[in-house]
Amino acid sequence: MKKILGNIRRADADFSMIEEGDKIAVGVSGGKDSMTLLYALHLYQKFAPVKFDLIGITLKLGFEGMDFHPVVNFCSQHGIQYEMVDTKVFEILQAKADSSGRLPCSLCSKFKKALLIKRAVELGCNKVSMAHHADDATETLVMNAIHNGYLSTFKAKMYMDESDVTFIRPLIYCYESDIKKAARKYVPIVPSTCPMDKNTGREDVKTMLADLYKRYPTAKANLLNAMKNVERVSLLEKDSDN
């Protein structure tokens, strides 16, 4: 957890993520990433340079067999404000499934983000945090290049004027391998019962990158550095005089 906290502190300093008096809502799916983020931010409250409030929010998407009691008990034990929100996301996704029964993951992601922001605003939060990490950022970059034809990943901090909320990703410098280690030691995990879990295009890219890192071990850190090194971006550009 010490390494996770160090990387959160560095991300906070680099992107000015957390400010005095913030009330931050953390999206808590019950998985290793979100549970680690929730607990790490709870610990960060104790030594952060500013004072901020924290609340964990779980969207109950409607997948069968998901028991969030371990999360409820964990938050109660550590004095973390927490609540669950009932939704009909799974019901809607089923209606939008393709002919083979595959659910639209991109639509699910949009629903989750919108519902989390809505509840956060209702609770008086000015910032919303999700547990996207360094590996997620690299995977998003590669997926956009392969499937969409442009180079782009998500931002570490983004203000959304339509909701007057700032979206932050404090785990942006944390790798999944370190999060797994911390989660196993410190937090309970609620296994996902989503039928698309581990069965997405992102998993294919994850496997491809894992093979790349085996061959070129420095590529993992360099890809993260490349996304930060925006002043040295050089791409094909049309001659403005033509």
Side-chain angles (χ1 to χ4, degrees):
M1 186 60 73
K2 186 176 181 180
K3 189 172 186 179
I4 299 294
L5 287 169
N7 282 325
I8 287 178
R9 186 170 192 166
R10 182 160 64 99
D12 185 17
D14 285 356
F15 299 104
S16 301
M17 286 188 180
I18 302 174
E19 299 166 295
E20 185 70 37
D22 279 347
K23 186 173 184 179
I24 304 172
V26 179
V28 181
S29 68
K32 66 181 187 330
D33 301 335
S34 64
M35 287 301 299
T36 299
L37 173 62
L38 181 66
Y39 186 48
L41 286 179
H42 171 65
L43 295 176
Y44 189 52
Q45 285 180 301
K46 303 178 190 306
F47 66 90
V50 297
K51 300 295 183 182
F52 65 95
D53 292 324
L54 191 68
I55 178 171
I57 301 176
T58 291
L59 301 175
K60 297 177 71 176
L61 302 180
F63 301 130
E64 293 183 4
M66 295 197 69
D67 179 9
F68 291 101
H69 281 98
V71 181
V72 174
N73 293 337
F74 177 84
C75 289
S76 176
Q77 176 186 349
H78 291 281
I80 301 171
Q81 187 178 352
Y82 173 75
E83 73 164 56
M84 289 185 284
V85 179
D86 289 320
T87 79
K88 295 184 178 180
V89 170
F90 185 40
E91 183 180 327
I92 297 171
L93 294 177
Q94 286 178 307
K96 300 289 185 179
D98 64 20
S99 57
S100 64
R102 291 180 64 86
L103 303 178
C105 296
S106 59
L107 184 60
C108 182
S109 179
K110 290 177 182 178
F111 279 146
K112 288 189 292 185
K113 187 174 181 180
L115 289 169
L116 178 60
I117 291 172
K118 179 177 181 295
R119 186 55 185 149
V121 170
E122 291 171 350
L123 291 168
C125 298
N126 66 310
K127 288 184 178 172
V128 172
S129 176
M130 292 186 75
H132 301 121
H133 48 67
D135 293 291
D136 289 326
T138 302
E139 290 158 15
T140 299
L141 177 74
V142 173
M143 289 176 71
N144 278 327
I146 293 174
H147 298 294
N148 300 320
Y150 57 79
L151 295 176
S152 176
T153 191
F154 49 71
K155 294 182 180 298
K157 178 183 178 182
M158 178 175 62
Y159 175 70
M160 294 170 287
D161 54 9
E162 67 276 9
S163 57
D164 192 28
V165 163
T166 299
F167 206 80
I168 60 174
R169 294 178 168 97
L171 297 183
I172 192 64
Y173 288 155
C174 300
Y175 289 108
E176 188 173 23
S177 57
D178 295 321
I179 293 171
K180 284 181 178 177
K181 291 176 185 176
R184 281 196 295 265
K185 187 173 182 180
Y186 294 103
V187 299
I189 295 174
V190 178
S192 174
T193 61
C194 170
M196 297 304 296
D197 191 44
K198 309 299 182 186
N199 188 29
T200 65
R202 182 173 289 272
E203 286 300 313
D204 295 337
V205 171
K206 188 187 293 286
T207 300
M208 181 182 72
L209 287 170
D211 291 338
L212 176 69
Y213 300 152
K214 288 178 183 177
R215 295 185 63 187
Y216 306 101
T218 59
K220 191 170 190 175
N222 282 340
L223 282 168
L224 179 59
N225 288 334
M227 287 183 282
K228 293 167 51 186
N229 203 1
V230 294
E231 67 276 6
R232 296 198 61 182
V233 174
S234 180
L235 302 172
L236 297 175
E237 295 183 64
K238 293 181 180 180
D239 191 333
S240 59
D241 294 331
N242 292 335

